[in-house]
Amino acid sequence: MDALSYEFTSETGKEPILRVRDLNTVFLTANGPVQAVNGLDFDLAERERMAIIGESGCGKSVLAQTILKLLPYNARVSGEIIFHNQDLLGTGRDQMVKIRGGEIGLIPQQLSSLDPLMKIKGQIRKAIQPSGGSRDKKQLYRKAFDLLNSVGLDPQVSNRYPHQLSGGMNRRVLVSMGIAQNPDLLIADEPTTGLDTILRNKTVKLIDRITSGRSLLLITHDIGAAQICENLAVMYAGEIIERGPAQDILDNPRHPYTQGLMSSMPSRGMYSIPGMSPSLIQLPKGCRFYPRCPYAKEKCATHHPDIQGENMCGEKRELRCHYACS
Ligand SMILES: Nc1ncnc2c1ncn2[C@@H]1O[C@H](COP(=O)(O)OP(=O)(O)OP(=O)(O)O)[C@@H](O)[C@H]1O
Ligand code: NI
């Protein structure tokens, strides 16, 4: 099969492929409830690519795990996740196994997601056909070779174990596994982490190529990588604080946190934001960014801002800030 046959070719639908409403994920811990994801609302259209950026610990991976129902036992979720008109939070385990990988592909954040004791070909085979099944073995391996080809890896790699490959090669293996069943939606969690500049650039191009015409949630610290997406959501302490067209936000960030994040890019001077993200166990009463915000006023300390949009400050933009347009 031609590698290009993995490109997705659905019709653009009017209904969003993914609808998230008032999504909350809390972890019950000995120190108290950790509010990892708070009141998230967004739609992802068919073929839309949206990047999610934000500092470490702001809830990006927990969002991905919540959508895919991969959370540990101490997690409690409320809200609504509608994917292709199916209510994922109400979906049973067996159906979720089919959706995971089949309709929603995941490129996980951790390289340790690869099984160190299994050759790459076995792992890709499992990604193509997770429940075993009777598919012809030769056909499965041919598909695995095609997948490796499509991510720029020599099919010889299939006979190796993960420890015999470089970090960049293992990342590509994970990318190939994420698209193994040609999912409608791909969730890529930090796919460029730990790569040198050359490999990072190659991986960004690869993700761009394999997701053109597909829906993508790209979780990343890499603001450059986020530019392959049309839209961008910025998360801070479990909440979306700014969302809109990626290029507009990169050119003209409105939320003081997004402005700080942009200034911390090497190309923009690497000015880090003073202070630290709040504890997700003891969140500030008012705006969560208030203790670090250079423009904070009295109201910010006492009133938690709602997210407002879609057209804030005369632009296609959602913002969670009392004074973002001033
Ligand atoms: N099982 C768990 N129990 C308790 N807290 C958890 C659990 N899993 C995640 N958390 C907390 O949830 C918060 C969000 O974590 P998450 O992994 O989503 O961050 P992230 O934005 O993906 O960060 P990074 O960029 O470092 O990957 C963190 O404070 C984390 O400690
Ligand atoms: Ni993460």
Side-chain angles (χ1 to χ4, degrees):
M1 196 186 288
D2 182 341
L4 283 178
S5 59
Y6 288 100
E7 305 278 351
F8 178 64
T9 52
S10 90
E11 295 293 315
T12 304
K14 277 187 189 155
E15 278 294 303
I17 190 168
L18 183 71
R19 179 186 292 265
V20 171
R21 288 291 175 275
D22 195 20
L23 187 66
N24 297 281
T25 306
V26 177
F27 294 104
L28 305 179
T29 72
N31 298 324
V34 176
Q35 306 194 15
V37 164
N38 281 182
L40 250 56
D41 281 315
F42 67 87
D43 285 351
L44 189 76
E46 294 250 15
R47 298 169 177 238
E48 176 182 345
R49 300 191 289 182
M50 182 169 90
I52 302 178
I53 61 169
E55 277 169 310
S56 192
C58 71
K60 305 181 298 293
S61 296
V62 171
L63 168 63
Q65 289 157 13
T66 306
I67 294 170
L68 289 162
K69 292 181 97 168
L70 290 171
L71 291 165
Y73 72 96
N74 64 333
R76 300 290 177 275
V77 180
S78 65
E80 204 175 56
I81 305 174
I82 308 292
F83 171 73
H84 267 330
N85 296 321
Q86 301 167 88
D87 168 16
L88 291 193
L89 295 183
T91 298
R93 231 170 135 173
D94 292 350
Q95 184 60 15
M96 235 15 245
V97 169
K98 284 187 194 150
I99 291 173
R100 235 182 268 133
E103 293 174 66
I104 309 179
L106 173 70
I107 303 173
Q109 181 167 5
Q110 315 293 353
L111 285 182
S112 57
S113 314
L114 289 168
D115 182 342
L117 301 176
M118 193 188 278
K119 282 186 178 171
I120 298 300
K121 63 180 172 191
Q123 311 208 35
I124 298 184
R125 213 179 90 184
K126 263 180 88 178
I128 299 168
Q129 200 174 54
S131 51
S134 57
R135 197 133 33 128
D136 180 85
K137 233 179 169 183
K138 256 191 189 163
Q139 205 188 344
L140 274 175
Y141 282 133
R142 201 168 311 126
K143 194 163 175 185
F145 290 167
D146 287 338
L147 276 166
L148 286 171
N149 246 328
S150 74
V151 296
L153 285 173
D154 189 313
Q156 292 299 323
V157 160
S158 62
N159 280 318
R160 307 241 182 108
Y161 291 93
H163 75 270
Q164 295 173 309
L165 303 180
S166 69
M169 289 163 104
N170 279 325
R171 276 256 165 250
R172 280 172 180 254
V173 171
L174 285 176
V175 173
S176 76
M177 289 165 67
I179 56 166
Q181 293 181 61
N182 200 18
D184 299 346
L185 166 64
L186 185 67
I187 302 180
D189 193 354
E190 309 275 8
T192 57
T193 297
L195 302 181
D196 64 36
T197 313
I198 295 172
L199 268 177
R200 176 245 167 228
N201 292 344
K202 276 189 173 175
T203 307
V204 173
K205 276 194 186 144
L206 172 64
I207 304 273
D208 187 18
R209 179 169 60 78
I210 60 163
T211 58
S212 107
R214 207 190 284 265
S215 304
L216 170 72
L217 277 185
L218 174 62
I219 293 167
T220 185
H221 283 280
D222 183 341
I223 294 169
Q227 282 172 314
I228 65 168
C229 297
E230 305 87 62
N231 292 314
L232 178 65
V234 185
M235 279 185 78
Y236 185 75
E239 298 180 318
I240 291 180
I241 52 95
E242 183 158 9
R243 194 164 84 93
Q247 204 55 53
D248 292 359
I249 295 182
L250 296 172
D251 290 346
N252 183 21
R254 288 239 175 227
H255 195 289
Y257 173 67
T258 318
Q259 290 173 358
L261 210 55
M262 298 303 157
S263 305
S264 68
M265 286 168 71
S267 60
R268 300 188 192 183
M270 273 178 99
Y271 300 106
S272 62
I273 309 172
M276 282 169 63
S277 297
S279 154
L280 297 177
I281 295 179
Q282 275 186 318
L283 289 160
K285 189 169 166 234
C287 172
R288 292 183 184 176
F289 189 57
Y290 158 74
R292 303 169 78 184
C293 182
Y295 311 109
K297 299 184 186 171
E298 238 171 75
K299 185 180 178 186
C300 309
T302 50
H303 290 74
H304 181 241
D306 289 330
I307 191 146
Q308 295 180 58
E310 296 208 322
N311 286 297
M312 279 289 282
C313 321
E315 293 169 312
K316 195 169 180 289
R317 191 84 59 106
E318 291 173 19
L319 282 160
R320 192 187 285 278
C321 174
H322 293 303
Y323 302 104
C325 302
S326 53

